[in-house]
Amino acid sequence: MIDEYTEAAVQRLLTEHGGLAEQGIKVVRRERVLVLCGEVESRQRRDEILRLVHESFPDVPLSVDIGVTRANAPTEAEELP
Amino acid sequence: MIRVAAVGDVHMDQDVVGRFRPALDRLPEQADVLLLAGDLTRHGTESEARCVAAEFGGLGVPVVAVLGNHDHHCDQVPQVVKVLTDAGIAVLEGDSTVVDTPGGALGIAGAKGFGGGFAGRCASEFGEPEMKAFVRTTSVTAEQLGAALRELDCDTRVALTHYAPVPDTLAGEPPEIYPFLGSYLLGQAIDSAPTALAVHGHAHAGTERGTTPGGVRVRNVAHPVIKQAYSVFHLG
């Protein structure tokens, strides 16, 4: 069972841990698993989130759905007459 | 026509250097200026600022930035600003700059901005010193942004902030955190001058498009929102 205090602690860890500083990750408490979803700027950051959250909360089952934001050039502009 | 490129919340550090560069090398074909809408770094360190300088310096078009809350975290703002300025990136905070483009003089007024919330559900300058200081910070930055916009001598005005001036572009974020994402005072400042476009970042889960009560178009260009290296807007 994952309680609200754990959810809050994970949310704050994501922002306040010196190795993470991520404010854009959504933490969703499900019945048997804590889901982390959102986007980060590199695969290393996603891996580090998983590592540090698991290290701090070893008994919390995690489901991680974090992508790396695409950085391609735009294919079209927005016209604002 | 003036072509404006913009992106925010790139959160640079060593692990991101080079990711934007292939797209940025094509930017001069697509835009006359690049705006960076804050949260350029992860923690606001001088070394992270050097990563920003390496990625966004020397592009062949003027680059104009404001800082974000992440860029303040390590209390190294003067060092961060110096690294960026040395790389040719103009950093605005309550002031403005004018860029000459083939489509005319583009005036950009910028400020990081701050929170407080939106009409009917906003914080007030009342009570504890901490609360008054919070709201006062936003009031002061909004007053400076408005003055900078009104004083610009140019053909086309753009407002650049990190925090949001309207709630429209926050749709997708939890409503409970709107007061930490922006303030109507920024929108009121933008509406005090004939502004063509307002761009901001900060709200990673927000949406791209909105308008101020006065009808100024607002765009959230946070990188996770636009999902490309930068967006391009054609003005006029």
Side-chain angles (χ1 to χ4, degrees):
Chain A
M1 186 69 180
I2 305 160
D3 64 19
E4 284 183 38
Y5 297 125
T6 302
E7 178 187 350
V10 170
Q11 185 85 67
R12 290 190 62 174
L13 176 82
L14 290 169
T15 299
E16 295 173 12
H17 191 286
L20 297 178
E22 295 289 350
Q23 290 189 291
I25 302 299
K26 197 163 139 190
V27 179
V28 183
R29 187 164 45 96
R30 296 272 168 81
E31 201 170 331
R32 293 186 185 83
V33 69
L34 196 69
V35 182
L36 306 180
C37 55
E39 294 194 2
V40 293
E41 291 291 339
S42 73
R43 286 181 57 183
Q44 293 96 310
R45 293 187 192 184
R46 178 176 59 193
D47 295 345
E48 194 64 356
I49 288 171
L50 181 57
R51 189 183 75 77
L52 285 170
V53 174
H54 184 67
E55 185 181 287
S56 301
F57 303 91
D59 299 329
V60 174
L62 292 177
S63 170
V64 177
D65 187 13
I66 297 173
V68 178
T69 310
R70 296 186 290 273
N72 302 317
T75 53
E76 52 191 276
E78 182 179 0
E79 305 292 334
L80 297 174
Chain B
M1 177 182 73
I2 297 177
R3 306 172 305 165
V4 176
V7 63
D9 305 82
V10 293
H11 296 286
M12 295 296 298
D13 202 345
Q14 284 293 345
D15 58 327
V16 182
V17 172
R19 279 200 78 221
F20 288 83
R21 204 66 202 195
L24 292 171
D25 287 342
R26 295 178 50 194
L27 190 140
E29 303 163 20
Q30 298 180 305
D32 304 310
V33 62
L34 172 66
L35 308 183
L36 299 176
D39 277 4
L40 313 179
T41 65
R42 294 180 86 184
H43 307 89
T45 65
E46 192 173 347
S47 67
E48 290 169 358
R50 281 195 285 273
C51 297
V52 179
E55 197 78 354
F56 293 94
L59 294 187
V61 301
V63 180
V64 181
V66 293
L67 300 185
N69 55 310
H70 279 246
D71 306 317
H72 280 253
H73 182 66
C74 282
D75 298 322
Q76 295 180 23
V77 167
Q79 297 93 317
V80 167
V81 170
K82 184 174 188 319
V83 168
L84 299 180
T85 305
D86 287 349
I89 298 171
V91 181
L92 302 179
E93 181 49 57
D95 54 357
S96 65
T97 187
V98 177
V99 175
D100 287 320
T101 78
L106 174 69
I108 303 145
K112 175 177 66 66
F114 203 47
F118 298 92
R121 298 160 205 81
C122 65
S124 296
E125 199 173 331
F126 183 84
E128 304 92 325
E130 293 85 354
M131 195 66 204
K132 287 185 282 202
F134 175 69
V135 176
R136 185 72 190 147
T137 300
T138 310
S139 303
V140 169
T141 193
E143 284 165 17
Q144 291 172 343
L145 177 67
L149 278 166
R150 291 189 298 275
E151 289 164 11
L152 270 168
D153 181 14
C154 61
D155 299 311
T156 302
R157 282 178 177 78
V158 170
L160 174 63
T161 61
H162 179 59
Y163 284 78
V166 294
D168 310 25
T169 47
L170 303 182
E173 295 281 3
E176 295 89 341
I177 68 167
Y178 277 25
F180 303 107
L181 298 177
S183 166
Y184 79 96
L185 293 169
L186 299 171
Q188 196 169 31
I190 290 163
D191 277 339
S192 74
T195 308
L197 173 69
V199 299
H200 73 88
H202 194 44
H204 290 207
T207 49
E208 281 190 78
R209 295 182 176 84
T211 55
T212 65
V216 176
R217 289 163 297 205
V218 179
R219 295 295 180 267
N220 177 356
V221 295
H223 186 213
V225 171
I226 63 174
K227 300 186 191 302
Q228 54 190 0
Y230 49 87
S231 288
V232 177
F233 307 102
H234 290 175
L235 304 181

